[in-house]
């Protein structure tokens, strides 16, 4: 259920943007959810549907971009990408790594009517 807090903040960002442009209805929301956040798009989708009832975002479609995580190994200097939550270096299996990207979560754009 840890998606609930993040879904609430996504909704409030989206509603604020819609009010800025005086939109009556939000039809689509593009989200960027890094692989390392651990957030499950389906959970965000479900909770968004519940939370957005009776708001301008009711019925909006969510579109998830899931860029692979980019990582850098400090031990062997390898740059690599990961599509799941295992982030250890594929060469030397160390955890001494830097996360370049993959832990981001942002609202990229919204479509309104
Ligand atoms: Zn390595």
């Amino acid at each position: 259920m840890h998606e609930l807090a993040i879904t609430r903040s996504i909704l409030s960002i989206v509603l604020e943007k819609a009010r800025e442009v005086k939109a009556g209805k939000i039809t689509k929301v593009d989200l960027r959810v890094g692989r390392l956040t651990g957030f499950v798009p389906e959970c965000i989708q479900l909770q968004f549907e519940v939370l957005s009832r009776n708001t301008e975002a009711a019925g909006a479609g969510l579109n998830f971009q899931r860029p692979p995580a980019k990582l850098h190994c400090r031990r062997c200097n390898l740059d690599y990408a990961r599509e799941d939550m295992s982030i250890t270096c594929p060469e030397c299996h160390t955890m001494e790594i830097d996360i370049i990207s993959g832990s981001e979560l942002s609202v990229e754009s919204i479509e309104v009517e």
Side-chain angles (χ1 to χ4, degrees):
M1 285 299 280
H2 63 302
E3 276 84 0
L4 191 56
I6 200 70
T7 307
R8 272 209 188 93
S9 57
I10 291 169
L11 181 62
S12 73
I13 291 168
V14 164
L15 290 176
E16 197 173 300
K17 283 191 179 181
R19 274 167 208 150
E20 270 173 30
V21 298
K22 298 185 169 46
K25 190 171 159 47
I26 298 157
T27 53
K28 193 167 154 244
V29 181
D30 277 313
L31 297 166
R32 191 175 173 89
V33 182
R35 302 268 174 178
L36 301 180
T37 59
F39 293 127
V40 181
E42 290 76 18
C43 292
I44 296 177
Q45 175 91 55
L46 280 175
Q47 287 166 357
F48 189 87
E49 280 168 23
V50 174
L51 293 173
S52 66
R53 270 178 206 154
N54 304 317
T55 73
E56 294 93 327
L62 300 189
N63 179 40
F64 292 92
Q65 300 171 24
R66 307 295 317 270
K70 289 207 180 75
L71 304 144
H72 174 80
C73 176
R74 279 185 216 164
R75 196 179 284 175
C76 68
N77 273 324
L78 183 74
D79 286 315
Y80 56 100
R82 285 289 203 197
E83 305 236 335
D84 54 32
M85 292 289 285
S86 69
I87 57 173
T88 51
C89 175
E91 285 296 321
C92 64
H93 307 287
T94 181
M95 280 292 284
E96 291 168 44
I97 48 130
D98 291 319
I99 294 171
I100 297 164
S101 69
S103 51
E104 69 275 29
L105 192 152
S106 59
V107 177
E108 291 290 294
S109 63
I110 63 170
E111 280 177 25
V112 296
E113 273 176 4

